[in-house]
Amino acid sequence: MDQSQNTEERITAAAKEIFIQRGFAGARMQDIADKAGINKAMLHYYFRSKEKLFEVIFDEAFGTLMPRVQAILSSDKSVIEKFEDFADQYIALISEHPHVPLFVVHELSQDPDRFVEKIRSKGHFPKLSLFIAQLQQEVDQGRLRPYNPVHLMMNVLSMCIFPFVAKPMLKAVTQMDETTWNLLMQNRSEEVKRFLKQALIP
Amino acid sequence: MDQSQNTEERITAAAKEIFIQRGFAGARMQDIADKAGINKAMLHYYFRSKEKLFEVIFDEAFGTLMPRVQAILSSDKSVIEKFEDFADQYIALISEHPHVPLFVVHELSQDPDRFVEKIRSKGHFPKLSLFIAQLQQEVDQGRLRPYNPVHLMMNVLSMCIFPFVAKPMLKAVTQMDETTWNLLMQNRSEEVKRFLKQALIP
DNA sequence: GTCTATAATTTGATAGAC
DNA sequence: GTCTATCAAATTATAGAC
């Protein structure tokens, strides 16, 4: 691990890698210490417990996504433009951190209630009601084909996020190597946007 | 746990629940024993180790899906009909076992290589080349809009699987209760099919 | 702040009686 | 086959020297 950072940063950087790859239950404090180039005692000196350390990582992994989503949803663009922005920005961001979505989704499913409390307290709750109203309005104006708004949002989220969540499965099933996969993901955003427009524009 | 089953069945039923909910690393043999209504020693008497027991559960969870997928893909229907069959059957199946996809995807990502070896040895590898050829042919005939075949398959898989993988996150973000969620999922298949047809038919 | 050594706890696995 | 009691290993957490 990079010696140029201070100890606390080295720990969080190492913990991020280990937790995101192994999950909370599968992560080992020893592995985090090794990767950070220090010993276990330091982890507790800085973060007191495994759980506290995990919380810092989880909050950051989730917290970087929601503000961007909120910014996109609350702009003054059309629904289709917002979906396109989301696909572009989300896929670009996740391409840099491909393991984050699976991490978030998996840990979240272990204790959904605690999570709801957390995002509420951090103010990360996306305000979807305005966006759904906009969606309904554009349908009424005939600018979009009529779909159930929630299903439609699920479709967009699914196509942007799922390939990264299921990367190991998809790579295995299609027998792709890493290079082929990366090339494919470079086009992902454009393909999703094309597909979306065909489905959405009357 | 149901006393009418024999011990081995009680164990596998209990292990399935615990492993699928907690993952391999998060599952505790004690919890499995408790849920099965027996003691830990019995688990080892029947399955020798945690890893062996896990393998039985994982193989079953994954192995029930692939034959169905293969059957759908190798029928003599059109691409769109195959996609519709997939959406219908897959969503119906998963609605009964909503935690399976996340379980498979998460455990898979821990050790992709071992998994590839496994599905290969079990003969579960889907033969996608024929389906991709059919897809290309229908595009050439002008019966489908031209999309990259792999991206197109990803889109269908994403829309069918992701909502179940991300159920806790989606429920939290949309502030849905369980009843609302179940109602929504009852319509999922129809919505996906409608969306797909609009995107696919020229 | 950082380390070594060690305590305390959890957890998978086994021995042996019935 | 099933149980209780126990072991052995792994893992989180802390004590105390420097």
Side-chain angles (χ1 to χ4, degrees), chain B residues 7 39 41-42 45-46:
Chain B
T7 303
N39 58 357
M42 288 276 84
Y45 177 79
Y46 277 93

Side-chain angles (χ1 to χ4, degrees), chain B residues 8-124:
Chain B
E8 187 165 341
E9 285 169 344
R10 296 231 305 281
I11 292 175
T12 50
K16 192 182 299 187
E17 275 195 56
I18 299 291
F19 276 132
I20 286 179
Q21 193 186 348
R22 306 271 185 206
F24 177 79
R28 296 291 162 251
M29 295 293 266
Q30 185 65 60
D31 294 341
I32 295 173
D34 289 349
K35 190 172 277 285
I38 51 157
N39 58 357
K40 276 191 297 181
M42 288 276 84
L43 299 181
H44 291 90
Y45 177 79
Y46 277 93
F47 292 93
R48 187 166 179 80
S49 73
K50 183 182 180 184
E51 199 141 351
K52 298 273 185 198
L53 179 53
F54 176 81
E55 243 175 71
V56 172
I57 305 306
F58 185 86
D59 288 354
E60 186 182 326
F62 190 81
T64 54
L65 296 179
M66 296 316 288
R68 297 188 190 222
V69 172
Q70 192 57 47
I72 293 170
L73 289 186
S74 59
S75 80
D76 58 357
K77 295 184 176 178
S78 72
V79 165
I80 288 186
E81 287 171 322
K82 286 181 181 179
F83 280 153
E84 290 185 329
D85 284 352
F86 179 81
D88 279 335
Q89 292 190 33
Y90 192 87
I91 291 172
L93 178 66
I94 295 299
S95 295
E96 308 288 322
H97 311 282
H99 297 101
V100 170
L102 177 54
F103 169 71
V104 170
V105 156
H106 183 256
E107 297 305 326
L108 195 44
S109 77
Q110 296 298 312
D111 191 348
D113 292 337
R114 203 185 57 155
F115 157 80
V116 170
E117 184 45 45
K118 170 149 302 172
I119 59 176
R120 200 186 300 277
S121 71
K122 301 262 179 183
H124 284 149

Side-chain angles (χ1 to χ4, degrees), chain B residues 156-169:
Chain B
V156 178
L157 289 174
S158 298
M159 291 191 290
C160 292
I161 304 177
F162 183 72
F164 297 96
V165 169
K167 170 182 173 180
M169 184 173 77

